[in-house]
């Protein structure tokens, strides 16, 4: 009875569980069931978990926000939105399987470019896309012609587009290709570049990035492991993920704390020059980027001086306090000149066409004036400045260097623009000595030089001696150049400043004093786009700027008055080191100043920048005897001169005689430079060779079935190691030979050979065929085990290195033999 009741109860319970409750209308339809179905069923989920997306966003945004913190240009706040859009689109693209990759990536990149264009137009051009498009066209035309791009909107467009692509690529790499390491490397490069250009307080971005990266790696590897365990039917604790992430967080914080206290800051100066070599792809990329994208209102990369054939008036030069040179000099007050500029375009300076003239070591370079005296300088390179070309620095005009050099002269007027080293750019640890020419003219002598408009004129055919007050017309044509459309208020201001100055020298001093006394030195400036720099600096900058603006304004105002002038870049005299009795020149000493051309005396230095000491002028008669000036060769000359010296031709009276010999330290520095370049070239050659081999190896036997591909590679590696396969050998016999050569992998070789033989020769319909039994899936795992061991065996037994030369020689011999037979055949036929 009890069993019957129990059975009835179980039956009723089964019906309750199995049969749904029904509310019937007599038609058999379940109204209640239908009424409870949702109208639109949406399920939003992420297989890898939302925490992985949070960690990915933390990695990407710590990088993007570091870009915003540097404040390269205005309106970088738009990066936050475009990066978010890039992450979402990247996630959607990674999860969808409907469209092929090429279509997905093309559409995503096109969308990112359009989004960046739209955002940039809204930020800079009030939403006028046509105006931005026109600006891009002008920028492209300037860059294609070899010029410099300096439109901040172009930089914002590039950064916005790159931010979108970085976010999109990061999401794709994580959720589609399963490569979290690539995400971290890509974002780390961008992050470190930006962190090197902002205050140390922003190191918090690096901390967030490192913690997020470590946790992302841990979380993703845990997800992949759990997924694999589930397929294998393994059991694991439900709260394993929480325990692992908690332990990972503690370990990540511990690693950061430990690394914080590790010693840092050591740099091997010689090894570091690999990154400064001319052929270094990174250096070439930096040079190209600096030319193509030159900021006008933002900040530049942190540097300790960066010299190029263009000088763009932009934002903060971002000079750091690294030691660049130590200097021993007869006159420590002299600046170190790198190069000069003669052409102003309203936003920066450049140099017109130049010609090269080689000089031997210690040969004197002709001076552009006879009224000069020479000083000796010993320069020790600690951290070489950035250089587009191998500029050698020296006071005023370099007169001789104890290494082969090339004088860069202006084709327009033969003025010396710069002196280049034949041996390549400066390297750390290099020592070189310079003889420099410094003007001997005192203030009284300079006051005797008239304005160019008042100087004497001579016919082009005149072949006599020129007075000291004569101006070379070519110099006037080159150094009175000005762009069209300059603000007329600039000239009016210059005339007002110099109204009471009786001589050209007094007028120049008045311009210098006005800038020094009425403006303050500041690097925190932002030159607006599409504005001429001098007018903005003089009337709209709040009377503040840095050296490039001071020197440019003085030079432009002087040219408007008819006074030839130019801007020069280099370093100030630095700070004295009493202990070592030399001058220490830091990155913050990188500077630009103004030079004025005085007939007979050449280029004279002036310092218009506020906060810098003016140049000392020689006392009357300090470098003369009885009114006669001594030239660098020790000969006496009077205050008359012939035609201006031509740097495009050597004068034996000016280039004879040596100054010093090359020191062992200099030879060692040159040897280190050559070894460094050679080593870098060998390393790059090896890397390119490995890349080429990797591509070839992956494509090897690609037209064959998988088993044949892998068996062919096994045979090839074994053959390179000296284990040659014979035509009479079966795969079983050859695999047995390999097993005897590597007994620790004998079982793997035998299993590999067995699957290969049956996959090639067994009946495809047979249950023993590997494709039917599923054994074909083992091949990749067997190959992953065998491949590294075969490569290692080949490296231990490089039989191919001994056989390859003989085979190449044999091939050449066979080719020559065939040609000889063919030649003899045709010769006999002709006979």
């Amino acid at each position: 009875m009890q069993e019957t009741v129990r059975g009835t109860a179980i039956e009723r319970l089964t019906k309750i569980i199995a049969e749904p409750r029904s509310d019937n209308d007599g038609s058999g339809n379940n109204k209640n069931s239908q009424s409870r179905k949702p109208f639109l069923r949406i399920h939003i989920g992420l297989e890898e978990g939302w925490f992985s997306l949070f960690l990915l966003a933390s990695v990407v945004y710590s990088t993007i926000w570091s870009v915003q913190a540097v404040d390269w240009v205005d309106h970088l706040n738009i990066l936050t939105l475009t990066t978010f859009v890039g992450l979402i689109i990247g996630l959607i693209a990674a999860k969808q399987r409907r469209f092929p990759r090429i279509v997905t990536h093309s559409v995503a990149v096109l969308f990112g470019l359009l989004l960046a264009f739209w955002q940039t137009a809204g930020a800079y051009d009030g939403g006028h896309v046509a105006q931005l498009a026109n600006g891009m066209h002008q920028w492209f035309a300037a860059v294609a012609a070899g010029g410099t791009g300096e439109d901040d909107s172009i930089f914002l467009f590039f950064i916005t587009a790159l931010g979108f692509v970085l976010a999109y690529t990061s999401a794709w790499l994580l959720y589609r290709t399963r490569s979290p390491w690539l995400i971290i490397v890509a974002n780390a490069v961008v992050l470190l570049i930006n962190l090197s250009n902002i205050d140390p307080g922003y190191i918090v971005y690096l901390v967030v990035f490192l913690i997020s990266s470590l946790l992302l790696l841990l979380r993703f590897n845990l997800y992949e492991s759990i997924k694999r365990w589930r397929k294998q039917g393994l059991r694991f604790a439900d709260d394993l993920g929480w325990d692992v992430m908690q332990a990972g967080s503690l370990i990540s914080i511990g690693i950061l704390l430990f690394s914080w206290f590790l010693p840092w800051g050591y740099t091997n100066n010689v090894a570091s020059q690999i990154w400064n070599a001319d052929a270094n792809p990174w250096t070439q990329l930096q040079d190209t980027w600096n030319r193509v994208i030159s900021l006008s209102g933002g900040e530049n990369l942190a540097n300790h001086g960066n010299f190029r054939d263009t000088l763009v008036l932009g934002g903060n030069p971002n000079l750091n306090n690294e030691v660049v040179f130590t200097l021993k000099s007869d006159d420590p007050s002299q600046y170190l000149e790198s190069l000069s500029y003669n052409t102003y375009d309203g936003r920066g300076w450049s140099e017109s066409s130049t010609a090269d003239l080689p000089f031997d070591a210690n040969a004197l370079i002709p001076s552009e004036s006879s009224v000069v005296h020479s000083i000796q300088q010993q320069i020790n390179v600690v951290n070489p400045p950035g250089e587009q070309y191998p500029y050698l620095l020296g006071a005023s005009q370099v007169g001789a260097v104890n290494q082969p050099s090339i004088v860069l002269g202006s084709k327009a007027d033969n003025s010396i623009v710069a002196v280049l080293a034949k041996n390549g750019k400066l390297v750390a640890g290099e020592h070189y000595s310079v003889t420099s020419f410094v003007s001997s003219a005192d203030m009284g002598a300079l006051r005797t030089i008239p304005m160019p408009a008042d100087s004497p004129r001579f016919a082009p055919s005149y072949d006599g001696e020129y007075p000291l007050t004569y101006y070379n017309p070519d110099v006037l044509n080159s150094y009175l150049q000005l762009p069209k459309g300059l603000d007329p208020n600039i000239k009016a201001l210059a005339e007002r400043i110099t109204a009471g100055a009786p001589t050209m020298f007094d007028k120049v001093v008045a311009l210098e004093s006005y800038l020094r006394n009425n403006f303050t030195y500041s690097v925190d400036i932002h030159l607006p786009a599409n504005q001429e720099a001098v007018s903005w600096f003089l009337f709209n900058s709040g009377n503040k700027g840095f050296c490039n603006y001071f020197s440019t304004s003085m030079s432009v105002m002087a040219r408007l008055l008819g006074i030839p002038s130019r801007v020069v870049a280099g370093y100030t005299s630095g700070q004295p080191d009493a202990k070592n009795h030399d001058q220490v020149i830091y990155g913050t000493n990188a500077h630009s100043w103004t030079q004025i051309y005085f007939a007979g005396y050449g280029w004279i230095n002036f310092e218009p920048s506020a906060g810098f000491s003016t140049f000392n002028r020689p006392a009357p008669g300090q470098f003369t005897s009885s009114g006669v000036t001594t030239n660098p060769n020790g000969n006496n000359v009077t205050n008359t001169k012939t035609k201006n010296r031509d740097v495009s031709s050597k004068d034996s009276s000016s280039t004879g005689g040596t100054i010093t010999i090359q020191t062992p330290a200099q030879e060692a520095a040159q040897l280190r430079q050559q070894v460094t370049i050679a080593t870098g070239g060998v390393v790059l050659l090896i890397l390119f060779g490995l890349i080429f081999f990797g591509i070839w190896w992956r494509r090897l036997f690609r037209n064959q079935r998988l088993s044949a591909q892998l068996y062919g590679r096994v045979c090839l590696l074994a053959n390179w190691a000296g284990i040659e396969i014979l035509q009479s050998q079966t795969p079983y016999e050859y695999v047995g030979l390999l097993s005897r050569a590597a007994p620790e992998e004998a079982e793997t070789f035998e299993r590999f050979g067995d699957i290969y033989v049956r996959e090639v020769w067994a009946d495809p319909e047979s249950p023993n065929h590997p494709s039917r039994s599923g054994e074909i899936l083992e091949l990749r795992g067997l190959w992953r085990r065998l491949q590294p061991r075969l490569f290692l065996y080949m490296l231990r037994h490089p039989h191919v290195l001994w056989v390859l030369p003989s085979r190449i020689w044999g091939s050449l011999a066979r080719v020559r033999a065939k040609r000889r037979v063919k030649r003899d055949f045709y010769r006999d036929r002709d006979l």
Side-chain angles (χ1 to χ4, degrees):
M1 182 67 179
Q2 290 180 351
E3 293 180 359
T4 304
V5 172
R6 186 182 305 162
T8 305
I10 293 174
E11 185 179 355
R12 291 182 61 190
L13 181 61
T14 304
K15 290 181 178 180
I16 293 174
I17 295 175
E19 297 177 4
R21 294 176 62 184
S22 174
D23 225 352
N24 239 303
D25 60 353
S27 64
N29 295 330
N30 192 339
K31 292 182 179 180
N32 201 27
S33 174
Q34 289 184 354
S35 63
R36 291 183 180 181
K37 289 184 178 180
F39 176 74
L40 181 63
R41 181 173 296 174
I42 299 177
H43 174 71
I44 299 177
L46 193 60
E47 182 184 0
E48 296 82 0
W50 292 105
F51 188 57
S52 65
L53 181 60
F54 170 77
L55 292 174
L56 174 63
S58 299
V59 169
V60 174
Y61 270 106
S62 59
T63 303
I64 294 301
W65 285 338
S66 72
V67 177
Q68 293 178 333
V70 180
D71 194 25
W72 297 106
V73 291
D74 295 332
H75 311 297
L76 282 173
N77 57 299
I78 66 176
L79 285 175
T80 301
L81 174 62
T82 54
T83 300
F84 175 77
V85 175
L87 281 173
I88 298 302
I89 293 180
L91 176 60
I92 295 173
K95 291 299 181 180
Q96 65 85 29
R97 293 293 189 273
R98 181 181 298 272
F99 303 104
R101 294 187 179 186
I102 185 65
V103 175
T104 303
H105 294 334
S106 300
V107 172
V109 171
L110 179 61
F111 177 82
L113 293 175
L114 293 175
L115 178 64
F117 186 86
W118 174 58
Q119 291 286 315
T120 304
Y124 268 99
D125 299 299
H128 298 290
V129 294
Q131 186 173 345
L132 177 60
N134 182 58
M136 287 185 171
H137 173 73
Q138 295 178 357
W139 166 83
F140 181 79
V143 170
T148 302
E150 52 181 77
D151 191 342
D152 285 358
S153 63
I154 303 298
F155 182 85
L156 180 63
F157 169 74
F158 275 120
I159 288 296
T160 305
L162 290 175
F164 176 90
V165 171
L166 180 65
Y168 172 83
T169 305
S170 298
W172 177 273
L173 289 175
L174 183 66
Y175 293 113
R176 188 64 171 266
T177 65
R178 310 297 190 182
S179 306
W181 273 110
L182 292 179
I183 302 168
I184 295 171
V185 171
N187 284 272
V189 171
V190 180
L191 176 68
L192 293 177
I193 290 175
N194 287 278
L195 287 182
S196 64
N197 292 278
I198 51 180
D199 296 333
Y202 288 99
I203 196 70
V204 64
Y205 289 130
L206 180 60
V207 173
V208 173
F209 174 83
L210 291 176
I211 293 179
S212 301
S213 299
L214 291 172
L215 292 179
L216 180 63
L217 286 173
L218 184 62
R219 178 71 184 86
F220 204 79
N221 287 329
L222 177 63
Y223 164 76
E224 292 290 329
S225 299
I226 291 176
K227 187 178 180 181
R228 185 172 63 256
W229 295 340
R230 285 173 175 166
K231 286 184 177 180
Q232 295 174 350
L234 300 177
R235 299 179 62 184
F236 53 90
D238 294 337
D239 57 350
L240 177 65
W242 168 253
D243 291 341
V244 171
M245 294 306 297
Q246 186 179 27
S249 300
L250 295 176
I251 294 174
S252 300
I253 295 174
I255 292 174
L256 291 178
L257 291 176
F258 177 73
S259 62
W260 187 271
F261 294 103
L262 289 177
W264 62 279
Y266 171 75
T267 301
N268 186 299
N269 290 327
V270 176
S272 66
Q273 294 314 303
I274 295 176
W275 295 104
N276 295 324
D278 292 349
N280 189 305
W282 177 249
T283 301
Q284 295 176 348
L285 179 62
Q286 282 184 311
D287 290 340
T288 302
W289 176 263
N290 290 333
R291 178 180 68 84
V292 172
I293 303 294
S294 185
L295 304 181
S296 62
E299 303 216 8
N300 299 294
L301 292 173
N303 65 95
H304 48 271
N306 191 11
F307 302 106
R308 303 180 54 80
D309 57 8
T310 57
L311 182 69
V312 177
L313 297 173
N316 189 343
N318 207 7
L319 299 172
N320 57 37
N321 207 38
E322 292 183 358
V323 176
V324 184
F325 303 114
T326 59
L327 168 70
K328 293 186 183 295
S329 175
D330 296 345
D331 185 356
S333 66
Q334 294 295 325
Y335 286 4
L336 289 182
E337 179 178 328
S338 178
L339 73 160
S340 62
Y341 307 95
N342 67 355
T343 303
Y344 178 65
D345 62 4
R347 300 282 294 190
W349 291 86
S350 60
E351 181 56 51
S352 58
S353 181
T354 57
D356 299 345
L357 182 64
F359 277 79
D360 297 330
N362 304 310
L364 287 177
I365 301 169
S367 171
E368 296 181 283
S369 171
S370 298
V371 191
V372 294
H373 61 277
S374 60
I375 63 171
Q376 298 292 325
Q377 297 172 302
Q378 300 291 331
I379 299 176
N380 174 42
V381 183
V382 180
N383 287 299
E387 295 184 303
Q388 180 183 11
Y389 302 108
Y391 300 113
L392 291 172
L393 290 84
S396 290
Q397 179 199 314
V398 174
V401 191
N402 67 335
Q403 61 175 273
S405 59
I406 298 174
V407 173
L408 204 63
S410 172
K411 289 183 178 180
D413 61 287
N414 293 315
S415 293
I416 296 177
V417 174
V419 177
L420 310 179
K422 277 188 176 180
N423 298 328
K425 296 180 182 178
L426 299 175
V427 297
E430 180 178 356
H431 305 269
Y432 69 96
S433 62
V434 178
T435 298
S436 295
F437 298 146
V438 179
S439 176
S440 304
D442 57 75
M443 289 189 290
L446 293 175
R447 284 192 171 95
T448 64
I449 303 301
M451 293 282 290
D454 303 325
S455 64
R457 300 287 195 273
F458 293 89
S461 59
Y462 181 76
D463 198 31
E465 292 184 336
Y466 291 87
L468 197 65
T469 56
Y470 170 74
Y471 285 92
N472 183 351
D474 293 334
V475 172
L476 298 181
N477 290 335
S478 295
Y479 295 99
L480 291 178
Q481 172 273 338
L482 287 170
K484 296 180 180 180
L486 274 181
D487 185 354
N489 292 322
I490 302 175
K491 183 176 182 180
L493 176 62
E495 292 174 342
R496 186 166 66 251
I497 294 170
T498 60
T503 68
M504 187 177 98
F505 177 78
D506 292 323
K507 292 180 184 295
V508 173
V509 171
L511 295 175
E512 179 188 49
S513 300
Y514 174 81
L515 293 171
R516 294 175 58 84
N517 297 331
N518 293 277
F519 290 78
T520 57
Y521 193 93
S522 173
V523 295
D524 186 21
I525 64 171
H526 298 274
L527 175 64
N530 303 320
Q531 287 199 29
E532 192 275 320
V534 173
S535 177
W536 175 83
F537 173 67
L538 293 176
F539 308 117
N540 298 302
S541 67
N543 288 23
K544 63 179 183 179
F546 55 90
C547 56
N548 293 350
Y549 291 88
F550 282 94
S551 58
T552 298
S553 297
M554 180 174 176
S555 182
V556 169
M557 286 195 290
R559 291 187 178 192
L560 287 169
L561 296 175
I563 301 172
S565 62
R566 68 184 184 185
V567 168
V568 180
Y571 289 92
T572 64
S573 54
Q575 285 75 45
D577 183 356
K579 180 179 180 180
N580 297 311
H581 306 289
D582 57 14
Q583 297 290 117
V584 181
I585 298 174
Y586 299 91
T588 50
N589 296 128
H591 193 52
S592 69
W593 61 97
T594 304
Q595 288 184 343
I596 303 295
Y597 188 84
F598 286 82
Y601 295 113
W603 294 104
I604 306 298
N605 290 324
F606 287 86
E607 181 52 273
S609 295
F612 291 78
S613 301
T614 57
F615 289 95
N616 296 323
R617 307 293 175 201
Q622 181 177 352
F623 297 100
T624 61
S625 175
S626 303
V628 178
T629 301
T630 303
N631 77 355
N633 292 323
N635 302 323
N636 293 333
V637 294
T638 60
N639 285 347
T640 59
K641 63 192 185 85
T642 58
K643 290 183 178 181
N644 287 42
R645 292 176 186 252
D646 188 352
V647 298
S648 63
S649 62
K650 290 186 179 180
D651 183 357
S652 59
S653 64
S654 300
T655 59
T658 59
I659 308 300
T660 58
I661 61 174
Q662 197 171 33
T663 64
Q666 176 70 21
E667 294 177 351
Q670 292 183 7
L671 179 61
R672 285 196 299 270
Q673 180 189 25
Q674 294 170 359
V675 171
T676 298
I677 295 176
T679 304
V682 171
V683 170
L684 289 176
L685 184 62
I686 292 174
L687 289 176
F688 282 122
L690 291 175
I691 293 172
F692 177 79
F693 176 80
I695 296 173
W696 173 79
W697 184 253
R698 290 179 65 87
R699 294 173 61 86
L700 189 64
F701 307 125
R702 64 185 184 276
N703 295 325
Q704 304 295 326
R705 67 182 70 185
L706 177 62
S707 59
Q709 290 181 26
L710 301 183
Y711 183 75
R713 293 175 185 176
V714 168
C715 295
L716 187 60
L717 286 175
N719 186 61
W720 287 348
I723 307 176
E724 298 184 6
I725 185 172
L726 303 178
Q727 292 183 354
S728 60
Q729 283 180 318
T730 66
Y732 282 127
E733 292 173 338
Y734 189 62
V735 166
L737 184 63
L738 296 179
S739 300
R740 289 191 293 273
E744 68 279 2
E745 295 296 337
E747 184 178 350
T748 307
F749 274 117
E750 291 174 0
R751 179 62 175 165
F752 179 85
D754 180 61
I755 295 176
Y756 165 69
V757 170
R758 287 190 290 116
E759 202 271 339
V760 173
W761 284 286
D763 182 5
E765 303 299 328
S766 170
N768 291 326
H769 193 276
S771 61
R772 286 186 168 273
S773 63
E775 294 172 294
I776 195 70
L777 301 176
E778 297 182 31
L779 282 178
R780 293 191 182 275
L782 296 173
W783 172 242
R784 281 195 296 267
R785 181 175 177 85
L786 291 176
Q787 180 176 228
R789 286 163 174 76
L790 286 171
F791 270 110
L792 183 61
Y793 186 87
M794 185 195 67
L795 292 177
R796 292 175 179 174
H797 306 82
H799 178 73
V800 67
L801 297 180
W802 305 104
V803 175
L804 186 62
S806 61
R807 289 185 177 179
I808 294 176
W809 180 258
S811 299
L812 293 176
R814 286 192 295 272
V815 170
R816 287 196 299 268
K818 289 181 180 180
R819 289 181 177 178
R820 185 166 53 251
V821 170
K822 186 176 182 180
R823 184 176 61 251
D824 293 343
F825 171 78
Y826 283 109
R827 184 184 58 190
D828 295 342
R829 191 179 66 176
D830 293 339
L831 291 177

